[in-house]
Amino acid sequence: MTATTTVYVDETRYNLYASIHKGLRRAQGQLMTRLGAIDPLNDADVAGLLQDMRLMVTMGRKHLHHENIFIHTEIETRRVGATTRLVDDHDHHERDFDELETRFRQIEAAPPERRSPMLRALYLRYTEFLAHDFEHMIEEETETLSLLHRLFSDGELAAIEGRIVGSVEPGMMMEFIRIMIPAMNPAERLGMLGGMKAAMPVPVFAAVVDMGVKPVLAPSDWHALEQALAKAA
């Protein structure tokens, strides 16, 4: 996709990229900001940041796997060869993840006084990765989504997303919820949480709210969501 590409996307149609991509953009941007401001001599801060970055890499790998297995495979059944460039991008992302994890280990093994240039190099490399990843996500939310709308009905797209959600283990699903919820607008939060509330047993939904929603929202945002959920019940 180029900067001059114009792709019409029907925003009234089902969009299985929007919420997860919003969450990834927000979470990755926060990590980039933290990395740029980190004190190399603060052992606890460096360890905490690298732990969070490693989790984001794990989530990124999971996200690529979900798209490869559940979205690209379905596209190929109806338009052979349509996902070739997307697969190439994902392979490149996997190599990026390998390199980032190597840098994490090198920083963890280095004495504090040697961390500063290593963290600076990681900052630049992570920023480069984000630039490519953001461009890739835009392509998926325009060109690929438009293709999905031509090939599949909204019901079929919802079923694909349902299979993705059903494949994610509970602990990892909670991590995805934590990055998606604060990146959503109020209507999107209500739509997601309202659907979960209707589909889940009360104790399970309560656990999702207590561990995955309330901790990541400002009190005012949580209060507004709680009221909206009560009205929608």
Side-chain angles (χ1 to χ4, degrees):
M1 180 175 145
T2 67
T4 57
T5 299
T6 300
V7 178
Y8 173 74
V9 177
D10 185 349
E11 296 293 347
T12 68
R13 294 286 310 280
Y14 198 89
N15 190 335
L16 41 61
Y17 288 117
S19 294
I20 181 58
H21 282 183
K22 273 191 173 184
L24 289 171
R25 288 185 182 102
R26 179 180 184 274
Q28 290 172 336
Q30 288 180 323
L31 287 174
M32 180 189 69
T33 301
R34 288 172 60 191
L35 179 57
I38 194 75
D39 178 359
L41 301 180
N42 189 313
D43 292 343
D45 284 356
V46 171
L49 174 62
L50 293 178
Q51 180 180 355
D52 290 343
M53 293 189 74
R54 186 171 280 120
L55 173 60
M56 186 56 55
V57 166
T58 298
M59 295 172 74
R61 289 189 191 276
K62 292 282 187 183
H63 178 60
L64 295 185
H65 177 74
H66 297 155
E67 291 184 342
N68 289 341
I69 297 300
F70 296 100
I71 299 178
H72 297 178
T73 300
E74 291 293 335
I75 291 175
E76 288 293 326
T77 64
R78 302 189 186 188
R79 184 72 61 85
V80 176
T83 66
T84 299
R85 185 167 59 183
L86 294 173
V87 171
D88 288 343
D89 284 351
H90 283 193
D91 289 342
H92 193 275
H93 275 19
E94 289 285 4
R95 293 192 293 273
D96 288 340
F97 290 148
D98 289 340
E99 181 185 342
L100 289 171
E101 289 183 325
T102 296
R103 289 176 182 267
F104 299 161
R105 291 191 294 270
Q106 291 171 341
I107 293 169
E108 288 169 334
E113 63 273 13
R114 292 185 56 194
R115 288 185 193 141
S116 185
M118 299 172 75
L119 287 165
R120 171 64 180 169
L122 176 60
Y123 175 80
L124 293 177
R125 184 65 184 88
Y126 192 63
T127 301
E128 180 186 30
F129 164 73
L130 292 191
H132 294 157
D133 192 32
F134 283 14
E135 183 177 25
H136 173 72
M137 286 192 283
I138 290 172
E139 179 175 352
E140 290 181 327
E141 291 179 54
T142 55
E143 295 180 11
T144 307
L145 184 60
S146 180
L147 176 62
L148 286 167
H149 288 166
R150 294 196 299 271
L151 297 178
F152 301 91
S153 68
D154 283 358
E156 289 173 320
L157 294 177
I160 291 172
E161 186 173 42
R163 289 193 288 274
I164 293 174
V165 172
S167 74
V168 183
E169 59 272 24
M172 184 55 63
M173 179 55 68
M174 193 68 74
E175 298 293 349
F176 279 114
I177 289 172
R178 290 188 184 112
I179 69 167
M180 289 191 294
I181 287 294
M184 292 176 173
N185 64 41
E188 290 167 340
R189 289 176 193 148
L190 178 60
M192 179 176 173
L193 270 296
M196 295 172 68
K197 183 178 181 180
M200 291 178 171
V202 173
V204 176
F205 181 72
V208 169
V209 168
D210 288 341
M211 293 186 290
V213 178
K214 290 175 67 175
V216 298
L217 288 179
S220 59
D221 289 335
W222 162 244
H223 181 65
L225 177 58
E226 186 179 34
Q227 287 188 317
L229 285 170
K231 291 178 181 178

